Amino acid sequence: MAQLIVRNIEDEVVKALKICAAENGRSAEEEHRELLRSALLRTRKNQPDFKSLLASIPTGDDEILERSRDTGRDVAL
């Protein structure tokens, strides 16, 4: 496996990482790995593919796109 070194991390980010790690019963290093996995791998797997996105676009027959009949505007005489 590869190693990754991240430099110049703000103190508050490191503190938040350590707090999250403690809450999840993990080391800061394992928490870091899990955060990277979550951000980079799982979200892509849960996203629909392009074909599914296109199929989800409403058509003109859908109620959401129906418009009320235009009765004109009231003109003050």
Side-chain angles (χ1 to χ4, degrees):
M1 285 201 176
Q3 292 185 2
L4 178 65
I5 297 173
V6 182
R7 294 185 174 97
N8 301 320
I9 303 293
E10 295 87 354
D11 290 339
E12 62 266 18
V13 173
V14 174
K15 183 178 179 181
L17 177 69
K18 288 179 180 181
I19 290 170
C20 287
E23 290 172 350
N24 293 318
R26 296 190 271 245
S27 67
E29 186 176 348
E30 180 58 30
E31 188 71 17
H32 190 192
R33 282 192 291 267
E34 186 57 33
L35 287 169
L36 288 170
R37 279 186 212 104
S38 296
L40 301 173
L41 300 178
R42 291 189 186 139
T43 54
R44 288 184 185 169
K45 291 179 184 177
N46 294 332
Q47 291 178 349
D49 62 351
F50 187 65
K51 183 178 177 181
S52 299
L53 287 173
L54 287 177
S56 70
I57 296 174
T59 64
D61 298 332
D62 296 333
E63 289 181 27
I64 195 168
L65 295 178
E66 287 184 15
R67 296 176 65 175
S68 59
R69 185 169 171 256
D70 186 5
T71 57
R73 58 184 169 155
D74 294 331
V75 179
L77 299 173

Coordinates of all heavy atoms in Angstrom, one line a residue:
M1 N 0.8 -1.2 0.0 CA 0.0 0.0 0.0 C 0.9 1.2 0.0 O 2.0 1.2 0.6 CB -0.9 0.0 1.2 CG -2.0 -0.9 1.2 SD -3.3 -0.4 2.3 CE -4.5 -1.6 1.9
A2 N 0.3 2.3 -0.6 CA 1.1 3.6 -0.6 C 0.9 4.3 0.7 O 0.0 4.1 1.5 CB 0.5 4.4 -1.8
Q3 N 1.8 5.3 0.9 CA 1.7 6.1 2.0 C 1.5 7.5 1.5 O 1.9 7.9 0.4 CB 3.1 6.1 2.8 CG 3.3 4.8 3.5 CD 4.6 4.9 4.4 OE1 5.2 5.9 4.5 NE2 4.9 3.7 5.0
L4 N 0.8 8.3 2.3 CA 0.4 9.7 2.0 C 0.8 10.6 3.1 O 0.4 10.3 4.3 CB -1.1 9.8 1.7 CG -1.6 11.1 1.4 CD1 -1.1 11.6 0.1 CD2 -3.1 11.0 1.3
I5 N 1.6 11.6 2.8 CA 2.0 12.6 3.9 C 1.3 13.9 3.5 O 1.4 14.4 2.4 CB 3.5 12.8 3.9 CG1 4.2 11.5 4.3 CG2 3.9 13.9 4.8 CD1 5.7 11.5 4.2
V6 N 0.6 14.4 4.5 CA -0.1 15.7 4.3 C 0.5 16.7 5.2 O 0.5 16.5 6.4 CB -1.6 15.5 4.6 CG1 -2.4 16.8 4.4 CG2 -2.2 14.4 3.8
R7 N 1.0 17.7 4.6 CA 1.7 18.8 5.4 C 0.8 20.0 5.5 O -0.1 20.2 4.8 CB 3.0 19.1 4.8 CG 4.0 18.0 4.7 CD 5.3 18.4 4.2 NE 6.3 17.4 4.3 CZ 6.6 16.6 3.3 NH1 6.0 16.6 2.1 NH2 7.5 15.6 3.5
N8 N 1.2 20.9 6.5 CA 0.6 22.2 6.7 C -0.9 22.1 6.9 O -1.7 22.9 6.4 CB 0.9 23.1 5.5 CG 2.4 23.3 5.3 OD1 3.2 23.4 6.2 ND2 2.8 23.2 4.0
I9 N -1.3 21.2 7.8 CA -2.7 21.1 8.2 C -2.9 22.1 9.4 O -2.1 22.1 10.3 CB -3.0 19.7 8.6 CG1 -2.7 18.7 7.5 CG2 -4.5 19.6 9.1 CD1 -3.6 18.9 6.3
E10 N -4.0 22.8 9.3 CA -4.3 23.8 10.4 C -4.5 23.0 11.7 O -5.1 21.9 11.7 CB -5.6 24.6 10.1 CG -5.4 25.5 8.9 CD -5.7 24.8 7.5 OE1 -5.9 23.6 7.5 OE2 -5.7 25.5 6.5
D11 N -4.1 23.6 12.8 CA -4.3 23.0 14.1 C -5.7 22.6 14.4 O -6.0 21.6 15.0 CB -3.8 24.0 15.2 CG -2.3 24.1 15.2 OD1 -1.6 23.3 14.6 OD2 -1.8 25.1 15.7
E12 N -6.7 23.5 14.1 CA -8.1 23.2 14.4 C -8.6 21.9 13.6 O -9.4 21.2 14.0 CB -9.0 24.4 14.1 CG -9.0 24.9 12.7 CD -8.1 26.0 12.4 OE1 -7.1 26.2 13.2 OE2 -8.3 26.7 11.4
V13 N -8.0 21.7 12.4 CA -8.4 20.5 11.6 C -7.8 19.3 12.3 O -8.5 18.3 12.4 CB -7.9 20.7 10.1 CG1 -8.1 19.4 9.4 CG2 -8.5 21.8 9.4
V14 N -6.6 19.3 12.7 CA -5.9 18.2 13.4 C -6.7 17.9 14.7 O -7.0 16.7 15.0 CB -4.5 18.5 13.7 CG1 -3.9 17.4 14.6 CG2 -3.7 18.7 12.4
K15 N -7.1 18.9 15.4 CA -7.9 18.7 16.6 C -9.2 18.1 16.3 O -9.6 17.1 17.0 CB -8.1 20.1 17.3 CG -8.8 20.0 18.7 CD -8.9 21.3 19.3 CE -9.7 21.2 20.6 NZ -9.8 22.5 21.3
A16 N -9.9 18.5 15.3 CA -11.2 18.0 14.9 C -11.0 16.5 14.5 O -11.9 15.7 14.8 CB -11.8 18.8 13.8
L17 N -10.0 16.2 13.8 CA -9.7 14.8 13.4 C -9.5 13.9 14.6 O -10.0 12.8 14.7 CB -8.4 14.8 12.5 CG -8.0 13.4 12.0 CD1 -9.0 12.8 11.1 CD2 -6.6 13.5 11.4
K18 N -8.7 14.4 15.6 CA -8.5 13.6 16.8 C -9.7 13.4 17.6 O -10.0 12.3 18.1 CB -7.4 14.3 17.6 CG -6.0 14.2 17.0 CD -4.9 14.8 17.8 CE -3.6 14.7 17.2 NZ -2.5 15.3 17.9
I19 N -10.6 14.4 17.6 CA -11.9 14.3 18.4 C -12.8 13.3 17.7 O -13.3 12.4 18.3 CB -12.5 15.7 18.5 CG1 -11.8 16.6 19.4 CG2 -14.0 15.5 18.9 CD1 -12.2 18.0 19.5
C20 N -12.9 13.4 16.3 CA -13.7 12.4 15.6 C -13.2 11.0 15.8 O -13.9 10.0 15.9 CB -13.7 12.8 14.1 SG -14.7 14.2 13.7
A21 N -11.8 10.9 15.7 CA -11.2 9.6 15.9 C -11.6 9.0 17.2 O -11.9 7.8 17.3 CB -9.7 9.7 15.7
A22 N -11.5 9.8 18.3 CA -11.8 9.3 19.6 C -13.2 8.9 19.7 O -13.6 7.9 20.3 CB -11.4 10.4 20.7
E23 N -14.1 9.7 19.2 CA -15.6 9.4 19.2 C -15.9 8.1 18.5 O -16.8 7.4 18.8 CB -16.4 10.5 18.6 CG -16.4 11.8 19.4 CD -17.0 13.0 18.7 OE1 -17.3 12.9 17.5 OE2 -17.2 14.0 19.4
N24 N -15.1 7.8 17.4 CA -15.3 6.6 16.6 C -14.5 5.4 17.1 O -14.5 4.3 16.4 CB -15.1 6.9 15.2 CG -16.1 7.8 14.6 OD1 -17.3 7.7 14.9 ND2 -15.7 8.8 13.8
G25 N -13.7 5.6 18.1 CA -12.8 4.5 18.6 C -11.7 4.1 17.7 O -11.3 3.0 17.6
R26 N -11.2 5.1 17.0 CA -10.1 4.8 16.0 C -8.9 5.7 16.3 O -9.1 6.8 17.0 CB -10.6 5.1 14.6 CG -11.7 4.2 14.1 CD -11.9 4.4 12.6 NE -12.9 5.5 12.3 CZ -14.0 5.3 11.8 NH1 -14.4 4.1 11.4 NH2 -14.8 6.3 11.5
S27 N -7.8 5.4 15.7 CA -6.6 6.3 15.8 C -6.9 7.4 14.8 O -7.7 7.3 13.9 CB -5.4 5.5 15.4 OG -5.4 5.1 14.0
A28 N -6.1 8.5 15.0 CA -6.2 9.6 14.1 C -5.9 9.2 12.6 O -6.5 9.6 11.7 CB -5.4 10.8 14.5
E29 N -4.9 8.3 12.5 CA -4.5 7.8 11.2 C -5.6 7.0 10.6 O -5.9 7.2 9.4 CB -3.2 6.9 11.4 CG -2.6 6.5 10.0 CD -1.3 5.7 10.2 OE1 -0.8 5.7 11.3 OE2 -0.9 5.2 9.2
E30 N -6.3 6.1 11.3 CA -7.4 5.3 10.8 C -8.5 6.2 10.4 O -9.2 6.0 9.4 CB -7.8 4.2 11.7 CG -8.9 3.3 11.2 CD -8.6 2.7 9.9 OE1 -7.5 2.3 9.6 OE2 -9.6 2.4 9.1
E31 N -8.8 7.2 11.3 CA -9.9 8.2 11.0 C -9.6 8.9 9.7 O -10.5 9.1 8.9 CB -10.0 9.2 12.1 CG -11.3 10.0 12.0 CD -12.6 9.3 12.2 OE1 -12.6 8.2 12.8 OE2 -13.6 9.9 11.8
H32 N -8.4 9.3 9.5 CA -8.0 10.0 8.2 C -8.2 9.1 7.0 O -8.8 9.5 6.0 CB -6.5 10.3 8.4 CG -6.0 11.2 7.3 ND1 -4.7 11.5 7.1 CD2 -6.6 11.9 6.3 CE1 -4.5 12.3 6.0 NE2 -5.7 12.6 5.6
R33 N -7.8 7.8 7.1 CA -8.1 6.8 6.0 C -9.6 6.7 5.8 O -10.0 6.7 4.6 CB -7.5 5.5 6.4 CG -6.0 5.4 6.2 CD -5.5 3.9 6.3 NE -5.6 3.4 7.6 CZ -4.7 3.4 8.5 NH1 -3.5 3.9 8.3 NH2 -4.9 2.8 9.7
E34 N -10.4 6.6 6.8 CA -11.8 6.5 6.6 C -12.4 7.7 6.0 O -13.3 7.6 5.1 CB -12.5 6.2 8.0 CG -14.0 5.8 7.9 CD -14.3 4.7 6.9 OE1 -13.5 3.7 6.8 OE2 -15.3 4.7 6.3
L35 N -12.0 8.9 6.4 CA -12.5 10.1 5.8 C -12.1 10.2 4.3 O -13.0 10.5 3.5 CB -11.9 11.3 6.5 CG -12.4 11.6 7.9 CD1 -11.6 12.7 8.6 CD2 -13.9 12.0 7.8
L36 N -10.9 9.8 4.0 CA -10.6 9.7 2.5 C -11.4 8.7 1.8 O -11.9 9.0 0.7 CB -9.1 9.4 2.4 CG -8.1 10.6 2.8 CD1 -6.7 10.0 2.8 CD2 -8.2 11.7 1.9
R37 N -11.6 7.5 2.3 CA -12.4 6.5 1.7 C -13.8 7.1 1.4 O -14.4 6.9 0.4 CB -12.5 5.3 2.5 CG -11.4 4.3 2.4 CD -11.6 3.0 3.2 NE -10.4 2.5 3.7 CZ -10.0 2.6 4.9 NH1 -10.7 3.2 5.9 NH2 -8.8 2.2 5.3
S38 N -14.4 7.7 2.5 CA -15.8 8.2 2.4 C -15.9 9.3 1.3 O -16.8 9.3 0.5 CB -16.2 8.8 3.7 OG -16.3 7.8 4.7
A39 N -14.9 10.2 1.3 CA -15.0 11.3 0.4 C -14.7 10.9 -1.0 O -15.4 11.4 -2.0 CB -14.0 12.4 0.8
L40 N -13.9 9.9 -1.2 CA -13.5 9.6 -2.6 C -14.1 8.4 -3.2 O -14.2 8.3 -4.4 CB -11.9 9.5 -2.6 CG -11.2 10.8 -2.2 CD1 -9.7 10.5 -2.1 CD2 -11.5 11.9 -3.1
L41 N -14.5 7.4 -2.4 CA -14.9 6.2 -3.0 C -16.4 6.0 -2.8 O -17.1 5.7 -3.8 CB -14.2 5.0 -2.4 CG -12.7 5.0 -2.6 CD1 -12.0 3.8 -1.9 CD2 -12.3 5.0 -4.1
R42 N -16.9 6.0 -1.6 CA -18.3 5.7 -1.4 C -19.3 6.6 -2.1 O -20.3 6.2 -2.6 CB -18.6 5.7 0.1 CG -17.9 4.5 0.8 CD -18.3 4.4 2.2 NE -17.5 3.3 2.8 CZ -17.0 3.4 4.0 NH1 -17.3 4.4 4.8 NH2 -16.3 2.4 4.5
T43 N -19.0 7.9 -2.1 CA -19.9 8.8 -2.7 C -20.1 8.6 -4.2 O -21.2 8.7 -4.8 CB -19.5 10.3 -2.5 OG1 -18.2 10.5 -3.0 CG2 -19.6 10.7 -1.1
R44 N -19.0 8.2 -4.9 CA -19.1 7.9 -6.3 C -20.0 6.6 -6.6 O -20.7 6.6 -7.5 CB -17.7 7.6 -6.9 CG -16.9 8.9 -7.0 CD -15.6 8.6 -7.7 NE -14.8 9.9 -7.7 CZ -13.6 9.9 -8.0 NH1 -12.9 8.8 -8.4 NH2 -12.9 11.1 -8.0
K45 N -19.9 5.6 -5.7 CA -20.7 4.4 -5.9 C -22.1 4.7 -5.7 O -23.0 4.0 -6.3 CB -20.2 3.4 -4.9 CG -18.8 2.8 -5.2 CD -18.4 1.8 -4.2 CE -17.0 1.3 -4.4 NZ -16.6 0.3 -3.4
N46 N -22.5 5.7 -4.8 CA -23.9 6.0 -4.5 C -24.5 6.9 -5.5 O -25.7 7.1 -5.5 CB -24.0 6.5 -3.1 CG -23.6 5.5 -2.1 OD1 -23.8 4.3 -2.3 ND2 -23.2 6.0 -0.9
Q47 N -23.7 7.5 -6.4 CA -24.3 8.5 -7.3 C -24.9 7.7 -8.5 O -24.3 6.8 -9.0 CB -23.2 9.4 -7.8 CG -22.8 10.4 -6.7 CD -21.7 11.3 -7.2 OE1 -21.1 11.1 -8.2 NE2 -21.4 12.3 -6.4
P48 N -26.0 8.2 -9.0 CA -26.6 7.5 -10.2 C -25.7 7.8 -11.5 O -25.0 8.8 -11.5 CB -27.9 8.2 -10.4 CG -27.8 9.5 -9.6 CD -26.8 9.3 -8.6
D49 N -25.8 6.9 -12.4 CA -25.0 7.1 -13.6 C -25.7 8.1 -14.5 O -26.8 8.5 -14.3 CB -24.8 5.8 -14.4 CG -26.1 5.1 -14.8 OD1 -27.1 5.6 -14.4 OD2 -26.0 4.1 -15.6
F50 N -25.0 8.5 -15.6 CA -25.5 9.6 -16.4 C -26.9 9.2 -17.1 O -27.8 10.0 -17.2 CB -24.5 9.9 -17.5 CG -24.9 11.1 -18.3 CD1 -25.0 12.4 -17.8 CD2 -25.1 11.0 -19.7 CE1 -25.3 13.5 -18.6 CE2 -25.5 12.1 -20.5 CZ -25.5 13.3 -19.9
K51 N -27.0 7.9 -17.5 CA -28.2 7.5 -18.1 C -29.4 7.6 -17.1 O -30.5 8.0 -17.5 CB -28.0 6.0 -18.6 CG -29.2 5.5 -19.3 CD -28.9 4.0 -19.7 CE -30.2 3.4 -20.4 NZ -29.9 2.0 -20.8
S52 N -29.2 7.2 -15.9 CA -30.2 7.3 -14.9 C -30.6 8.8 -14.6 O -31.8 9.1 -14.4 CB -29.8 6.7 -13.6 OG -29.5 5.4 -13.8
L53 N -29.6 9.7 -14.6 CA -29.9 11.1 -14.4 C -30.8 11.6 -15.6 O -31.7 12.4 -15.4 CB -28.6 11.9 -14.3 CG -27.8 11.8 -13.0 CD1 -26.5 12.5 -13.1 CD2 -28.6 12.3 -11.9
L54 N -30.4 11.3 -16.8 CA -31.2 11.7 -17.9 C -32.6 11.2 -17.9 O -33.6 11.9 -18.2 CB -30.6 11.2 -19.2 CG -29.3 12.0 -19.7 CD1 -28.7 11.4 -20.9 CD2 -29.6 13.5 -19.9
A55 N -32.8 9.9 -17.5 CA -34.1 9.3 -17.4 C -35.0 10.0 -16.3 O -36.2 10.0 -16.4 CB -34.0 7.8 -17.1
S56 N -34.3 10.6 -15.3 CA -35.1 11.2 -14.2 C -35.6 12.7 -14.5 O -36.3 13.2 -13.8 CB -34.2 11.3 -12.9 OG -33.2 12.2 -13.1
I57 N -35.1 13.2 -15.7 CA -35.6 14.5 -16.0 C -37.1 14.5 -16.4 O -37.5 13.7 -17.2 CB -34.8 15.1 -17.2 CG1 -33.3 15.2 -16.9 CG2 -35.3 16.4 -17.8 CD1 -32.4 15.6 -18.0
P58 N -37.8 15.4 -15.8 CA -39.3 15.4 -16.1 C -39.6 15.7 -17.5 O -38.9 16.5 -18.2 CB -39.8 16.6 -15.2 CG -38.7 16.9 -14.2 CD -37.5 16.4 -14.8
T59 N -40.6 15.1 -18.0 CA -41.1 15.3 -19.4 C -42.2 16.3 -19.4 O -42.8 16.7 -18.3 CB -41.5 14.0 -20.1 OG1 -42.7 13.5 -19.3 CG2 -40.4 13.0 -20.1
G60 N -42.7 16.7 -20.5 CA -43.8 17.7 -20.6 C -45.1 17.1 -20.0 O -46.1 17.9 -19.8
D61 N -45.2 15.8 -19.9 CA -46.4 15.2 -19.4 C -46.5 15.2 -17.9 O -47.6 14.9 -17.3 CB -46.5 13.7 -19.9 CG -46.6 13.7 -21.4 OD1 -47.1 14.6 -22.0 OD2 -46.1 12.6 -22.0
D62 N -45.5 15.5 -17.2 CA -45.5 15.5 -15.8 C -46.2 16.7 -15.2 O -46.2 17.8 -15.7 CB -44.0 15.5 -15.2 CG -43.3 14.2 -15.6 OD1 -43.9 13.2 -15.9 OD2 -42.1 14.3 -15.7
E63 N -46.9 16.4 -14.0 CA -47.7 17.5 -13.4 C -46.8 18.6 -13.0 O -47.2 19.8 -12.9 CB -48.4 16.9 -12.2 CG -49.5 16.0 -12.5 CD -50.2 15.5 -11.2 OE1 -50.1 16.2 -10.2 OE2 -50.8 14.4 -11.3
I64 N -45.6 18.3 -12.6 CA -44.7 19.4 -12.1 C -44.4 20.5 -13.1 O -44.2 21.6 -12.8 CB -43.3 18.8 -11.6 CG1 -42.6 19.8 -10.8 CG2 -42.5 18.3 -12.8 CD1 -41.4 19.2 -10.0
L65 N -44.6 20.1 -14.4 CA -44.4 21.1 -15.4 C -45.6 21.8 -16.0 O -45.6 22.6 -16.8 CB -43.6 20.5 -16.6 CG -42.2 20.0 -16.3 CD1 -41.5 19.4 -17.5 CD2 -41.3 21.2 -15.8
E66 N -46.8 21.3 -15.4 CA -48.1 21.9 -15.9 C -48.2 23.4 -15.5 O -47.8 23.8 -14.4 CB -49.2 21.1 -15.3 CG -49.4 19.8 -16.0 CD -50.7 19.1 -15.4 OE1 -51.5 19.7 -14.8 OE2 -50.8 17.9 -15.7
R67 N -48.7 24.2 -16.4 CA -48.9 25.6 -16.1 C -50.4 25.9 -16.1 O -51.2 25.3 -16.8 CB -48.2 26.4 -17.2 CG -46.7 26.2 -17.2 CD -46.1 27.0 -18.4 NE -46.3 28.4 -18.1 CZ -45.8 29.3 -18.9 NH1 -45.1 29.0 -20.0 NH2 -46.0 30.6 -18.7
S68 N -50.7 26.8 -15.3 CA -52.1 27.2 -15.2 C -52.4 28.0 -16.5 O -51.5 28.7 -17.1 CB -52.4 28.0 -14.0 OG -51.6 29.1 -13.9
R69 N -53.7 28.0 -16.9 CA -54.1 28.7 -18.1 C -54.0 30.2 -17.9 O -54.4 30.7 -16.9 CB -55.5 28.3 -18.5 CG -56.0 28.9 -19.8 CD -57.3 28.3 -20.2 NE -57.8 29.1 -21.3 CZ -58.8 30.0 -21.2 NH1 -59.4 30.2 -20.1 NH2 -59.2 30.6 -22.3
D70 N -53.4 30.9 -18.9 CA -53.2 32.3 -18.8 C -54.5 33.0 -19.1 O -55.1 32.8 -20.2 CB -52.1 32.8 -19.7 CG -51.8 34.3 -19.6 OD1 -52.3 34.9 -18.7 OD2 -51.0 34.8 -20.4
T71 N -55.1 33.7 -18.2 CA -56.4 34.4 -18.4 C -56.2 35.8 -18.7 O -57.1 36.6 -18.7 CB -57.3 34.2 -17.2 OG1 -56.6 34.8 -16.0 CG2 -57.6 32.8 -16.9
G72 N -55.0 36.2 -18.9 CA -54.7 37.6 -19.2 C -54.5 38.4 -17.9 O -54.7 37.9 -16.8
R73 N -54.2 39.6 -18.1 CA -54.1 40.4 -16.8 C -55.2 41.4 -16.7 O -55.8 41.8 -17.7 CB -52.7 41.1 -16.8 CG -52.5 42.0 -18.0 CD -51.1 42.6 -17.9 NE -50.9 43.3 -19.2 CZ -50.0 44.2 -19.4 NH1 -49.3 44.7 -18.4 NH2 -49.9 44.8 -20.6
D74 N -55.5 41.8 -15.5 CA -56.5 42.8 -15.3 C -56.0 44.1 -15.7 O -54.9 44.6 -15.3 CB -56.9 42.8 -13.8 CG -57.5 41.5 -13.4 OD1 -58.1 40.8 -14.2 OD2 -57.4 41.1 -12.2
V75 N -56.8 44.8 -16.5 CA -56.4 46.1 -16.9 C -57.3 47.1 -16.3 O -58.6 47.0 -16.4 CB -56.5 46.2 -18.5 CG1 -56.1 47.6 -18.9 CG2 -55.6 45.2 -19.1
A76 N -56.8 48.1 -15.6 CA -57.6 49.1 -14.9 C -57.9 50.1 -16.0 O -57.0 50.7 -16.7 CB -56.8 49.7 -13.8
L77 N -59.2 50.4 -16.1 CA -59.7 51.4 -17.1 C -60.0 52.7 -16.5 O -60.3 53.0 -15.5 CB -60.9 50.9 -17.9 CG -60.6 49.7 -18.7 CD1 -61.9 49.2 -19.3 CD2 -59.6 49.9 -19.8

